[in-house]
Amino acid sequence: CRRTTARATPTPFPTPQRYHVPMTDLLLDATRALLGTLGGLVLALLSIASTRSLGRRLVPNDSRRFELASWAFYLFLAAAIYVVFALREAGWMRLELAGLVGYTALAWFGVRRPRLLALGWLLHAGWDAIVHADAPGTLVPDWYRWACLGYDFVAAVHLARLGAPRR
């Protein structure tokens, strides 16, 4: 007696897990970029308000200098975070350390020259947009890149206004 086994006939259509819809990927990427950038903008505005308020409370006679020193420290931290990210991905450490040195110098001199500090934040936005544009997701999460870009741009504009000659 010979047993016959039923064979599954192949379906002409791929299973739903195999569909690749580029438009959906594009929409998801655009949504991540938009939400990340908006999150960065909101965080930057909150940082401006809280740093300004704290400066007025702690150093009422020289709150502007407190604010500049705080933003210089924030720039150092923004660059240092990428060094920590580089610990997870081989080949990026040298570049991130070079960035840390450059941004630390701009932060140091920017305390006395706010436009240098604004330039540092603007360059850091470029660092996010250009240097990390093709970085693997294991180095920098996509949402973080966009949030940092929004934050950096608002910080640069704020510091450029803070460094503008007073009338």
Side-chain angles (χ1 to χ4, degrees), residues 128-144:
D128 298 323
I130 297 167
V131 174
H132 293 130
D134 293 328
T138 54
L139 176 69
V140 181
D142 285 336
W143 66 267
Y144 185 84

Side-chain angles (χ1 to χ4, degrees), residues 43-55 57 66 74:
L43 284 174
L45 293 173
L46 289 171
S47 294
I48 291 167
S50 63
T51 302
R52 183 171 283 168
S53 174
L54 193 59
R57 282 190 205 139
F66 175 86
Y74 302 159

Side-chain angles (χ1 to χ4, degrees), residues 16-132:
Q17 295 87 0
R18 292 186 185 174
Y19 282 125
H20 178 71
V21 183
M23 186 57 115
T24 303
D25 293 342
L26 179 65
L27 287 173
L28 286 173
D29 289 345
T31 302
R32 282 188 205 109
L34 179 64
L35 292 176
T37 304
L38 288 175
L41 294 172
V42 169
L43 284 174
L45 293 173
L46 289 171
S47 294
I48 291 167
S50 63
T51 302
R52 183 171 283 168
S53 174
L54 193 59
R56 287 180 181 160
R57 282 190 205 139
L58 295 177
V59 193
N61 296 334
D62 202 3
S63 62
R64 183 175 183 268
R65 184 176 166 106
F66 175 86
E67 190 171 353
L68 290 172
S70 296
W71 282 100
F73 182 67
Y74 302 159
L75 181 59
F76 165 78
L77 287 178
I81 287 170
Y82 283 107
V83 172
V84 173
F85 283 155
L87 293 172
R88 301 184 306 182
E89 187 71 36
W92 284 84
M93 185 57 77
R94 201 177 292 169
L95 179 66
E96 299 302 343
L97 285 173
L100 179 63
V101 168
Y103 292 117
T104 300
L106 286 168
W108 179 265
F109 294 112
V111 172
R112 294 184 190 267
R113 295 178 187 92
R115 289 194 172 175
L116 274 179
L117 196 52
L119 176 65
W121 281 101
L122 191 60
L123 289 173
H124 197 265
W127 190 265
D128 298 323
I130 297 167
V131 174
H132 293 130

